[in-house]
Amino acid sequence: MQLADGNVKYPDLEQIIEKENEVIRFVIDKLKDGFSLEAFKKLYVYFSTDLCDATEFDFITYLYLFFTDKELPHMAELVKWGTLRLVTYDLVKEFKNTLKKSLYAELVEQAFEKAPPYLQLYSFVMHNKRSPLHCLTAMEWDNVETVRSFKDYVELHYSELKSTILIGQVNAWPNYRRKVY
């Protein structure tokens, strides 16, 4: 989380441990009497996945192709290399401030059709979480209240987009590719 003075605040180890314990308890409750280590491992991997992270790679790919199609190869390379060190969401916020308004509007509009809902998910997380632990786990998404809150957020902040389609795109998160380091 970047503070107003430009410094970066990282999550405390205690916050990370608490998040891990929350997922572990959730998975154990899901399994109840049918507990096995194999089932636990599978569900833990699923429910501990950060949906922002799960949608980011395909969103980066979309950005790269968008700028390539617009014959802006240096911007495409900026996306490719810049996202290795920067949060993609922050880079896109900079695009909003630096690109022509029409180009930025086209980038966001096409993203709705051609990319996973990374921007909407990340901005939702930034809006709702005040800790430096900016993630939205599949476990949290499994909660009806979270989905309802996301729907309300999208309808308020992205009113030109259909919230039900975005929710469907988020639900499809297991189909998105992930970065391989």
Side-chain angles (χ1 to χ4, degrees):
M1 165 190 259
Q2 188 161 8
L3 303 173
D5 64 3
N7 289 321
V8 177
K9 180 173 174 33
Y10 297 100
D12 294 329
L13 183 58
E14 294 81 29
Q15 290 173 303
I16 295 169
I17 291 170
E18 178 53 37
K19 182 61 87 178
E20 292 294 327
N21 286 333
E22 190 179 336
V23 175
I24 290 168
R25 286 188 300 271
F26 180 81
V27 170
I28 289 171
D29 285 347
K30 277 256 188 222
L31 292 172
K32 297 196 191 267
D33 294 332
F35 187 87
S36 74
L37 286 178
E38 191 59 36
F40 175 83
K41 179 181 171 186
K42 186 176 181 180
L43 286 181
Y44 177 81
V45 167
Y46 179 86
F47 284 113
S48 66
T49 300
D50 174 13
L51 299 185
C52 292
D53 186 53
T55 57
E56 185 179 31
F57 184 77
D58 280 358
F59 185 77
I60 291 168
T61 302
Y62 158 74
L63 287 174
Y64 184 87
L65 294 173
F66 176 84
F67 287 119
T68 299
D69 289 348
K70 294 295 176 188
E71 297 183 0
L72 297 167
H74 295 100
M75 291 296 285
E77 288 298 305
L78 172 67
V79 166
K80 179 177 165 182
W81 297 107
T83 55
L84 293 175
R85 296 269 184 202
L86 302 170
V87 175
T88 304
Y89 180 79
D90 293 339
L91 188 60
V92 173
K93 280 185 5 187
E94 290 290 322
F95 288 160
K96 183 176 185 176
N97 296 330
T98 57
L99 296 177
K100 291 180 185 174
K101 287 184 191 240
S102 60
L103 183 62
Y104 181 78
E106 186 178 350
L107 182 147
V108 172
E109 183 180 314
Q110 284 186 18
F112 179 64
E113 297 173 13
K114 298 179 180 180
Y118 169 79
L119 286 179
Q120 296 83 6
L121 277 173
Y122 203 93
S123 64
F124 171 71
V125 169
M126 295 288 290
H127 182 263
N128 288 315
K129 296 195 176 187
R130 298 295 175 218
S131 80
L133 198 57
H134 289 136
C135 71
L136 178 66
T137 63
M139 175 194 72
E140 292 168 304
W141 185 255
D142 194 53
N143 182 314
V144 173
E145 284 303 315
T146 301
V147 176
R148 186 175 296 126
S149 180
F150 178 74
K151 183 179 187 318
D152 293 343
Y153 175 82
V154 165
E155 289 173 356
L156 179 63
H157 297 279
Y158 296 93
S159 57
E160 71 282 2
L161 304 178
K162 286 192 160 268
S163 61
T164 53
I165 291 174
L166 284 170
I167 290 168
Q169 290 174 337
V170 175
N171 288 336
W173 74 263
N175 301 323
Y176 298 122
R177 296 173 294 156
R178 310 229 199 330
K179 282 185 186 178
V180 177
Y181 295 100

